[in-house]
Structures are given as C-alpha cells and as structure tokens.
C-alpha cells in the first residue's frame, strides 16, 4: 500500500532481487482480492488509524501479514502476533529478512490465520452490536 511506502521502498531496494513486491494501487476490489489470494505475504508499514480493512482482508485471503508498530498496529486492532510486527529502526531489513525466512512456506502462519480469523469474526459481532445500539439510541430502530 502507499501508506508507509518510505519503509517499503527500503525493503524493496534491499530485497527486490530476491522477492517480488507488487504494489496495491489502482486495483478494483475483485482484483485486489485475486492478488491477495495469490500472494504469500502482505506488508503494511503505514499509520493504522484503527481496524484497517486491508490487513484483515489479506488474512482472510491466506496471506501472512507483516506490519510495523505505527498507529493502532501497536494494539489489538491489528490482530497479529508480535512476531509479525517489526520496528522501523536500523534492524528493519535484518528483522524483515528473518521473518521472511520463517514464512517461506507459510507453515508459520497457520495459527495466525486461525486466531486472526476468530478475532475477525468476534469483531464482526462487536461491530454489528455497535451499529445496532446506535440505531436503537438515535433512530429507535433495531436490526433483527
């Protein structure tokens, strides 16, 4: 993604000959999903303003997701184990390379998928309750 591109650009420069990086820009939603399903890893070093949709979509498409710690990625809003989050410091390239080696066959992500998927389902019900409570409070309407 474009957000956090300055960090991603450093990784592309360092690892671009070893790995294929594909930008997620100017894609329709079906094309984005198709690309995520084909991809092994999704990286996002942007400022996460809250429960970002694309990292969640990537998890549901089977991608291993790697983020930094900016914004809500520091918290549970981005439902990843800390081993998939890296600091954007002088060890960025080394730490990123180490994660990639572990994820080469995606076996390391199986628990991540299952745990993150459970969190996503739980979030769906939380969000539905929040919308329902808002509608009841302000519009006297309830979703059944």
């Amino acid at each position: 993604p474009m957000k956090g591109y300055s960090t991603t650009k450093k990784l592309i420069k360092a690892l671009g000959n070893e790995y294929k990086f594909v930008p997620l820009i100017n894609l329709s939603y079906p094309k984005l999903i198709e690309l995520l399903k084909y991809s092994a890893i999704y990286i996002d070093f942007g400022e996460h303003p809250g429960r970002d949709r694309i990292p969640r979509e990537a998890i549901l498409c089977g991608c291993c997701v790697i983020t930094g710690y900016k914004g809500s990625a520091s918290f549970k809003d981005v439902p990843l184990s800390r081993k998939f989050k890296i600091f954007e410091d002088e060890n960025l390239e080394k730490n990123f390379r180490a994660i990639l080696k572990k994820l080469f066959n995606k076996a390391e992500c199986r628990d991540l998928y299952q745990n993150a998927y459970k969190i996503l389902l739980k979030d769906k019900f939380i969000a539905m309750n929040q919308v329902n409570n808002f509608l009841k409070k302000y519009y006297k309407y309830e979703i059944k």
Side-chain angles (χ1 to χ4, degrees):
M2 287 307 296
K3 61 183 185 166
Y5 183 67
S6 60
T7 300
T8 303
K9 194 160 100 174
K10 292 174 192 172
L11 295 172
I12 292 170
K13 185 177 178 183
L15 301 159
N17 292 332
E18 300 171 57
Y19 298 95
K20 181 177 181 180
F21 290 80
V22 179
L24 302 179
I25 54 173
N26 299 322
L27 297 171
S28 65
Y29 183 71
K31 290 281 187 200
L32 172 68
I33 296 304
E34 182 181 324
L35 183 58
L36 289 173
K37 285 181 178 179
Y38 175 77
S39 300
I41 297 170
Y42 168 83
I43 60 174
D44 190 334
F45 292 100
E47 294 277 344
H48 295 273
R51 295 178 171 167
D52 280 356
R53 180 179 62 95
I54 302 299
R56 293 164 184 277
E57 297 271 359
I59 290 169
L60 293 174
C61 289
C63 291
C64 293
V65 176
I66 301 170
T67 68
Y69 280 95
K70 291 181 183 170
S72 68
S74 294
F75 307 105
K76 292 180 182 177
D77 288 348
V78 178
L80 300 175
S81 164
R82 295 248 181 242
K83 64 184 170 182
F84 297 106
K85 295 181 184 183
I86 56 178
F87 289 101
E88 297 170 52
D89 58 17
E90 65 278 353
N91 295 316
L92 173 73
E93 182 187 331
K94 180 182 82 169
N95 292 337
F96 187 72
R97 192 180 294 274
I99 292 172
L100 291 181
K101 284 184 181 183
K102 287 181 186 175
L103 297 180
F104 190 76
N105 65 8
K106 292 176 100 173
E108 180 75 20
C109 283
R110 296 218 192 288
D111 290 338
L112 165 70
Y113 299 149
Q114 293 168 354
N115 293 337
Y117 188 71
K118 289 175 191 173
I119 291 169
L120 294 175
L121 288 178
K122 182 180 169 188
D123 286 350
K124 174 183 174 183
F125 295 115
I126 291 170
M128 287 173 57
N129 271 341
Q130 290 171 342
V131 169
N132 209 19
N133 288 338
F134 174 83
L135 291 172
K136 279 196 293 189
K137 182 176 180 178
Y138 293 102
Y139 297 99
K140 310 298 186 232
Y141 179 81
E142 185 172 355
I143 300 171
K144 302 284 182 188

